[in-house]
């Protein structure tokens, strides 16, 4: 072993996991009212600990602000255009297997199929918000209650594989028609680009421009983004982190978060993957299907030697870890992570500290907003985390 190589054996990793659990894995505090900025800074921001806050955004009647999708449409107008994420099964922005046909023409044999692992992004479609509501409510579960968790907790290995293609290989579907697909596409409004203020400015006036006690505690200025989220139990955001201090407020419905502290980065099997995007394609005049287009994929000569776009992402779904021997054997370090399940109800706000990993879904049709404040990078937390995330496993 090289003198410049750092090494941690199983006992060291187990001890580190115990230390992380003792430091961060405690019951999530529930505050009945928003704290003052000093208390929030001292008890939650500085130690980098999540908390739930009741009554964080009051209405004009001194009760928590609530808002359903129907209320949103009443405010903005049903003809308002929004850009929504569309996937065949609700799993976008995650690692999936795709199938690519490899030509064996020089040997005059049939094509063979090769599997590839890609980070696949959702297809984006601009539609009227009333159409979004119709599509959202037609893509909910039709399964029995006891079957719901089977779909929601699917690992990426369980997800259906789709063909990998070039843009020019197929005729794309310009307007999504749910009836043309074998299964209704799953829609999710999750723009993450300050969409409340940029795409729905009329609606933004219904919410405070900032969360004052938090802004004073973070001391990094006004919110960098305020985002609106609308989806149901079919949509899942896979485990990821943000370089933001995150305050998520549920206006109606219920969100399910699975949180992992930043130090779990060495246990979550984060790796580099080529990227692609879902694309709806026409099978014939009356039916549509899905394919995946690899980013930077092209048959043009100037693309031949170009490296594919890549992103660092977490492959395993931590929700499937318990009782799933395949996940345990394929991702052995995952058992040392510290997942914390948090249900956020209507009228509650969850504080997710910067760099905390989170997997997110809904238990029903849910409307929420979140405030992103810039994190501070001139801190020991960032120095420590950045070192951990750049460690490499010895079998890589």
């Amino acid at each position: 072993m090289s003198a410049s190589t750092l090494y941690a054996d199983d006992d060291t990793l187990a001890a580190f996991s115990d230390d992380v659990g003792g430091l961060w894995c405690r019951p999530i505090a529930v505050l009945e009212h928003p704290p003052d900025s000093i208390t929030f800074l001292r008890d939650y921001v500085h130690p980098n600990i999540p908390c739930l806050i009741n009554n964080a955004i009051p209405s004009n009647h001194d009760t928590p602000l609530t808002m359903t999708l129907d209320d949103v449409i009443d405010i903005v107008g049903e003809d308002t255009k929004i850009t929504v994420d569309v996937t065949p099964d609700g799993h976008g922005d995650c690692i999936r297997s795709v199938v690519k046909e490899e030509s064996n023409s020089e040997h005059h044999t049939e094509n063979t199929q090769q599997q590839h692992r890609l980070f696949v992004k959702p297809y984006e479609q601009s539609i009227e918000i009333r159409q979004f509501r119709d599509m959202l409510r037609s893509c909910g579960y039709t399964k029995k209650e006891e079957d719901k968790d089977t779909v929601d907790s699917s690992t990426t290995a369980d997800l259906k594989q789709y063909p990998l293609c070039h843009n020019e290989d197929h005729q794309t579907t310009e307007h999504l028609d749910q009836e043309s697909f074998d299964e209704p596409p799953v829609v999710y409004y999750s723009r993450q680009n300050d969409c409340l203020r940029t795409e729905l400015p009329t609606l933004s006036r219904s919410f405070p421009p900032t969360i004052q006690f938090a802004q004073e505690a973070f001391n990094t200025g006004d919110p960098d983004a305020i985002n609106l989220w609308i989806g149901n139990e079919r949509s899942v955001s896979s485990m990821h982190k943000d370089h933001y201090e995150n305050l998520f407020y549920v206006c109606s419905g219920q969100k399910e978060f699975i949180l992992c502290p930043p130090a779990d980065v060495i246990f979550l099997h984060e790796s580099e993957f080529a990227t692609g995007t879902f694309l709806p394609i026409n099978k014939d005049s009356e039916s549509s299907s899905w394919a995946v287009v690899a980013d930077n994929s092209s048959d043009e000569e100037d693309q031949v030697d170009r490296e594919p776009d890549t992103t660092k992402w977490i492959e395993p779904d931590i929700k499937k870890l318990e009782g799933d021997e395949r996940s345990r054997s394929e991702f052995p370090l995952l058992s040392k992570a510290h997942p914390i399940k948090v249900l956020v109800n209507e009228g509650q706000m969850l504080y997710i500290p910067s760099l905390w990993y989170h997997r997110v879904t809904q238990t029903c049709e849910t409307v929420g907003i979140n405030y992103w404040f810039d994190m501070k990078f001139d801190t020991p937390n960032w120095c420590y985390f950045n070192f951990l995330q750049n460690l490499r496993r010895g079998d890589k």
Side-chain angles (χ1 to χ4, degrees):
M1 185 177 295
S2 168
S4 62
T5 300
L6 297 176
Y7 174 74
D9 60 19
D10 289 342
D11 289 341
T12 302
L13 292 174
F16 178 69
S17 178
D18 288 343
D19 289 343
V20 172
L23 175 65
W24 272 310
C25 297
R26 61 190 74 177
I28 301 295
V30 180
L31 312 182
E32 286 306 314
H33 298 281
D36 62 78
S37 57
I38 298 299
T39 301
F40 185 57
L41 175 63
R42 179 194 66 206
D43 294 347
Y44 302 102
V45 179
H46 179 69
N48 202 236
I49 295 173
C51 65
L52 275 169
I53 306 169
N54 293 332
N55 304 295
I57 302 182
S59 67
N60 294 330
H61 308 288
D62 291 329
T63 57
L65 177 68
T66 61
M67 186 178 295
T68 65
L69 174 54
D70 294 327
D71 295 332
V72 171
I73 293 177
D74 287 343
I75 294 171
V76 304
E78 62 181 14
D79 297 333
T80 296
K81 287 287 192 74
I82 59 174
T83 304
V84 302
D85 291 340
V86 190
T87 60
D89 53 18
H91 290 261
D93 287 338
C94 69
I95 309 304
R96 306 182 65 118
S97 287
V98 296
V99 179
K100 181 180 181 181
E101 287 196 354
E102 304 285 355
S103 174
N104 294 322
S105 56
E106 63 179 85
H107 300 291
H108 305 288
T109 60
E110 295 182 358
N111 290 354
T112 60
Q113 290 188 337
Q114 297 291 329
Q115 288 190 13
H116 299 267
R117 306 290 281 166
L118 261 66
F119 173 77
V120 182
K121 295 170 288 188
Y123 177 70
E124 294 183 354
Q125 176 80 45
S126 178
I127 59 176
E128 293 178 349
I129 195 168
R130 61 180 171 184
Q131 183 187 357
F132 167 73
R133 175 174 59 187
D134 292 342
M135 294 179 70
L136 181 70
R137 292 177 178 173
S138 66
C139 74
Y141 279 115
T142 57
K143 295 177 178 288
K144 296 179 181 179
E145 187 72 22
E146 59 267 24
D147 293 334
K148 277 187 173 185
D149 193 58
T150 301
V151 178
D152 170 61
S153 62
S154 295
T155 66
T156 52
D158 295 325
L159 299 178
K160 182 179 178 179
Q161 296 178 348
Y162 290 91
L164 184 65
C165 69
H166 295 289
N167 261 316
E168 58 270 22
D169 289 345
H170 300 279
Q171 182 180 356
T172 61
T173 302
E174 293 184 6
H175 302 287
L176 289 175
D177 177 10
Q178 285 186 298
E179 300 297 324
S180 67
F181 292 88
D182 294 335
E183 295 288 337
V186 178
V187 292
Y188 188 29
Y189 187 61
S190 57
R191 293 291 293 150
Q192 306 176 55
N193 63 345
D194 200 25
C195 62
L196 184 66
R197 296 185 291 196
T198 58
E199 199 164 54
L200 297 167
T202 304
L203 183 65
S204 69
R205 292 193 285 270
S206 300
F207 298 95
T210 188
I211 305 299
Q212 194 60 42
F213 73 87
Q215 179 168 328
E216 292 174 3
F218 299 144
N219 195 31
T220 54
D222 293 335
D224 191 63
I226 307 176
N227 304 304
L228 183 69
W229 307 76
I230 307 174
N232 61 19
E233 65 274 20
R234 294 294 304 280
S235 295
V236 178
S237 297
S238 61
M239 187 70 81
H240 65 284
K241 67 180 182 298
D242 297 312
H243 295 88
Y244 286 107
E245 305 286 357
N246 189 355
L247 294 166
F248 197 105
Y249 182 83
V250 174
C251 304
S252 61
Q254 186 185 63
K255 296 285 270 194
E256 178 194 280
F257 290 82
I258 296 180
L259 308 177
C260 284
D264 273 355
V265 62
I266 63 173
F267 303 133
L268 294 176
H269 292 266
E270 193 174 45
S271 301
E272 201 83 21
F273 293 90
T275 64
T277 304
F278 272 120
L279 185 71
I281 58 176
N282 294 327
K283 290 197 297 186
D284 52 49
S285 60
E286 296 182 351
S287 61
S288 303
S289 63
W290 291 94
V292 174
V293 177
D295 294 339
N296 283 347
S297 67
S298 174
D299 289 332
E300 297 178 9
E301 290 185 4
D302 62 351
Q303 299 285 332
V304 171
D305 297 324
R306 186 172 176 181
E307 289 293 322
D309 286 349
T310 62
T311 192
K312 186 178 289 188
W313 208 258
I314 294 168
E315 181 173 1
D317 188 343
I318 200 164
K319 191 169 182 178
K320 281 284 284 188
L321 176 62
E322 187 174 351
D324 187 349
E325 291 303 322
R326 182 175 60 182
S327 292
R328 288 179 176 274
S329 61
E330 189 175 357
F331 306 106
L333 293 177
L334 202 61
S335 62
K336 292 181 172 61
H338 305 84
I340 305 168
K341 179 178 176 178
V342 184
L343 294 176
V344 187
N345 298 314
E346 179 180 294
Q348 288 188 309
M349 175 179 281
L350 175 65
Y351 167 52
I352 307 174
S354 57
L355 305 177
W356 271 69
Y357 288 90
H358 46 290
R359 177 198 192 271
V360 192
T361 187
Q362 300 72 222
T363 63
C364 58
E365 182 178 299
T366 299
V367 177
I369 66 165
N370 83 302
Y371 293 76
W372 270 342
F373 293 85
D374 282 329
M375 66 168 282
K376 288 188 173 181
F377 288 89
D378 54 345
T379 65
N381 282 351
W382 168 249
C383 182
Y384 165 65
F385 173 81
N386 196 38
F387 169 74
L388 289 180
Q389 75 171 343
N390 285 297
L391 294 178
R392 294 289 181 267
R393 285 171 38 218
D395 57 349
K396 289 294 185 183

